[in-house]
Amino acid sequence: MRIFFWNLKNNSNAEWVVKTIQENDVDVALFAEYHGTDFKTVLTDLKGDYTRHDGKGGCDKITLLCRRSVETKVKVESTRYTLYTCIVNDVSYNIVGLHLQSNPRSDSNDRKNEIRKIVYDICVQEKKDKNRKTVVIGDFNCNPFSEEIIQKDAFNAVLFRRLIEKNEYVTYQGTRIRKFYNPILLFLSEEENIYGSFYYPSSNSAPLYWNSFDQVLVRKELANRIESMNYIKEISGRKLIKDIAIDGRISDHLPLLVSIGKGKME
Amino acid sequence: MRSLWPDLLEQKEQEKNNSISIIREQVRELQRITQGAVSAVFRRIQYQPGPADALLEFGKYTSQFSSSAFKEKIEDELAGKEDINDLFRVKKYKFELCNKNYRFRVFVLNYSTLFPISLEVDEGISEEIKYRNGEKIESNDALICVLEEIFSSKKVKRVLQNMLVESEDN
């Protein structure tokens, strides 16, 4: 499965959305801040090969396009996230698309509260369908080392695959909690110029400059099936980075593309 | 020494908290007006043991001292008696709209036996009706007012209408 996420900054980006999906052979594409983009045009220009799943109005932060062959159902909606089930090439996934609250209007604790609801809904869905091929993708508005990602009672995500392979659970205050795996460290690279997805030269005392707000987390079942993860830097010859920063005329976020293999079992 | 206890007979009677029965009545009402096409679920968020359910009670981590590591030693004369403090502990109840394939959590009720209580309403709805999440609700009438605003919000109406359309399509 080739899964894609892009925060479109509410710009009119139909042309770039179509080109990115086609160039990257995307199966499932999720978008945040998408209201400036005409998705009717997107679907027309994709020649009817893709369908849109907009839910029932419970979430206006995320929308999803997928190939016609992908069987998609909206299972749970909340303002900040939608939980879908998608069957891609005969493999069934739980996919959560999210756009968490940003600073300075919100803070880490607001995001953690939201994350606990997301994890609750994921646990319910995984138990209901007895399927833990779960992918969480989106704009987390925090970095891979942030408490929201790492903390045991938040996403409980580890940054090294061996940690989840060795033990899928962590015990916290007497309760066993299932981990997520965040593959980002495998793919951030000076050599490949993959620094992050959002450039912000903050004036505070410790600017990070490049942030990886756009991330993907997976359960153990998918941890060793991640073939690639990439922040796309160019669409049809148009560079998305100008000098060292993101060229904000299209979006202030780089698109995230993740390829997940079927694995040996299927 | 004079008695430090208040005059218990003079105490004003507190309003009985009927929030659970008020909300349950609305669950039945939705079932009636949609003729069963859309359901509402109002249920306590229960912690169920087992690894997959470790976070099923997402609110429990707000208290660092709820852990079994801090168990109180019970004296013999208190053993086997119901701890009245349990009545005052906040319990979480979720209120969700759902059909066969889909669910949408409208709010979580932070319930305690006595007022005040509070709601954690879906962010989009709370912004629309200008309800500040966690705001204290002091009476049954105040709860009814907030519920009416929530159920009449554009977002809830949109979700319900889309769920009704889906059920007609099926």
Side-chain angles (χ1 to χ4, degrees):
Chain A
M1 171 174 70
R2 290 172 73 78
I3 184 166
F4 173 85
F5 173 82
W6 197 6
N7 178 327
L8 295 170
K9 200 194 170 188
N10 286 319
N11 285 343
S12 175
N13 279 327
E15 178 193 353
W16 302 111
V17 167
V18 170
K19 285 178 174 167
T20 320
I21 287 176
Q22 287 174 331
E23 280 176 13
N24 294 288
D25 200 23
V26 170
D27 295 307
V28 178
L30 298 102
F31 300 90
E33 296 194 22
Y34 59 87
H35 294 285
T37 294
D38 180 358
F39 274 84
K40 279 186 187 155
T41 304
V42 170
L43 291 173
T44 307
D45 292 352
L46 287 168
K47 301 181 177 70
D49 294 339
Y50 287 78
T51 52
R52 183 178 177 192
H53 295 267
D54 221 8
K56 295 183 173 42
C59 174
D60 62 354
K61 304 282 183 196
I62 294 290
T63 193
L64 178 145
L65 300 188
C66 63
R67 283 188 202 283
R68 278 202 173 276
S69 59
V70 175
E71 194 185 310
T72 297
K73 284 183 184 152
V74 177
K75 303 300 273 192
V76 183
E77 282 187 293
S78 185
T79 293
R80 293 269 162 199
Y81 61 94
T82 302
L83 193 162
Y84 311 85
T85 54
C86 296
I87 302 176
V88 187
N89 301 323
D90 300 325
V91 181
S92 183
Y93 299 90
N94 305 311
I95 296 177
V96 175
L98 59 80
H99 184 195
L100 295 182
Q101 303 94 315
S102 61
N103 294 336
R105 273 190 70 190
S106 298
D107 61 17
S108 169
N109 285 326
D110 294 324
R111 284 188 289 276
K112 280 190 268 185
N113 274 338
E114 197 66 24
I115 288 165
R116 287 173 191 129
K117 293 175 193 170
I118 296 170
V119 174
Y120 169 88
D121 283 333
I122 289 171
C123 288
V124 170
Q125 182 60 33
E126 287 176 336
K127 191 179 177 196
K128 192 173 161 214
D129 285 1
K130 296 186 178 61
N131 178 19
R132 289 196 297 274
K133 293 191 186 71
T134 302
V135 180
V136 184
I137 192 165
D139 179 354
F140 291 67
N141 267 312
C142 59
N143 277 299
F145 287 97
S146 303
E147 287 176 1
E148 296 92 307
I149 306 293
I150 303 292
Q151 199 169 302
K152 291 168 188 169
D153 62 333
F155 269 123
N156 189 27
V158 294
L159 288 155
F160 300 98
R161 200 169 58 208
R162 286 195 63 187
L163 292 174
I164 198 167
E165 282 172 351
K166 193 167 165 32
N167 192 349
E168 191 182 355
Y169 304 98
V170 66
T171 300
Y172 178 59
Q173 295 197 350
T175 304
R176 288 174 85 210
I177 306 173
R178 187 171 271 119
K179 293 172 186 167
F180 277 98
Y181 169 57
N182 185 348
I184 195 156
L185 294 186
L186 270 181
F187 301 102
L188 286 180
S189 157
E190 178 88 46
E191 223 168 79
E192 303 285 331
N193 301 333
I194 298 174
Y195 309 123
S197 62
F198 183 79
Y199 182 79
Y200 182 58
S202 154
S203 58
N204 69 24
S205 63
L208 198 54
Y209 299 102
W210 277 98
N211 297 276
S212 296
F213 288 169
D214 304 274
Q215 298 175 65
V216 65
L217 309 177
V218 296
R219 288 294 201 198
K220 185 188 173 188
E221 277 79 349
L222 299 176
N224 62 1
R225 297 186 192 181
I226 296 182
E227 294 164 344
S228 65
M229 195 209 108
N230 192 19
Y231 292 125
I232 294 171
K233 292 171 292 176
E234 191 176 318
I235 306 168
S236 290
R238 167 78 181 257
K239 289 189 169 30
L240 301 180
I241 296 179
K242 197 176 171 191
D243 299 327
I244 184 66
I246 294 172
D247 182 354
R249 284 175 294 180
I250 295 179
S251 171
D252 50 357
H253 287 248
L254 295 180
L256 167 65
L257 178 67
V258 183
S259 178
I260 300 174
K262 285 181 83 172
K264 288 172 193 165
M265 297 305 286
E266 280 81 23
Chain B
M1 188 186 174
R2 67 184 174 85
S3 168
L4 302 177
W5 297 99
D7 186 347
L8 296 169
L9 297 174
E10 284 287 306
Q11 287 268 310
K12 252 171 98 182
E13 200 174 303
Q14 273 213 315
E15 183 177 354
K16 193 181 170 204
N17 182 352
N18 293 328
S19 53
I20 288 183
S21 55
I22 288 169
I23 297 170
R24 283 195 177 134
E25 198 178 326
Q26 294 310 310
V27 170
R28 289 191 290 273
E29 193 58 17
L30 182 70
Q31 183 85 8
R32 187 186 67 78
I33 62 173
T34 65
Q35 294 173 330
V38 178
S39 303
V41 170
F42 178 61
R43 206 168 288 155
R44 179 140 181 228
I45 302 174
Q46 293 271 19
Y47 172 67
Q48 297 165 27
D53 310 309
L55 283 170
L56 285 186
E57 192 183 31
F58 52 76
K60 87 190 213 40
Y61 295 102
T62 51
S63 168
Q64 286 286 318
F65 301 102
S66 61
S67 156
S68 54
F70 296 93
K71 268 192 182 151
E72 184 186 355
K73 192 182 172 228
I74 306 291
E75 291 79 5
D76 290 344
E77 65 266 35
L78 297 177
K81 291 176 184 165
E82 193 178 345
D83 182 357
I84 199 75
N85 282 315
D86 284 343
L87 293 175
F88 300 98
R89 287 201 181 102
V90 172
K91 301 176 183 99
K92 287 180 180 284
Y93 288 78
K94 59 182 180 179
F95 182 91
E96 296 183 347
L97 303 175
C98 61
N99 60 20
K100 199 177 161 198
N101 296 315
Y102 171 85
R103 61 194 175 87
F104 172 68
R105 188 182 304 117
V106 181
F107 62 81
V108 171
L109 167 70
N110 295 318
Y111 174 83
S112 59
T113 308
L114 297 177
F115 283 114
I117 54 170
S118 68
L119 301 179
E120 294 162 31
V121 186
D122 170 83
E123 186 184 337
I125 300 169
S126 69
E127 278 173 13
E128 188 189 325
I129 67 170
K130 312 248 180 307
Y131 172 81
R132 197 165 43 82
N133 273 333
E135 202 173 296
K136 285 180 183 172
I137 296 172
E138 306 274 4
S139 67
N140 293 312
D141 284 346
L143 173 68
I144 289 168
C145 285
V146 178
L147 289 178
E148 196 163 17
E149 281 193 72
I150 291 170
F151 296 158
S152 306
S153 68
K154 285 181 197 158
K155 186 164 181 179
V156 168
K157 280 199 268 188
R158 190 166 63 235
V159 171
L160 279 173
Q161 281 159 357
N162 285 330
M163 290 171 83
L164 284 170
V165 169
E166 186 184 61
S167 69
E168 281 164 16
D169 290 348
N170 292 333

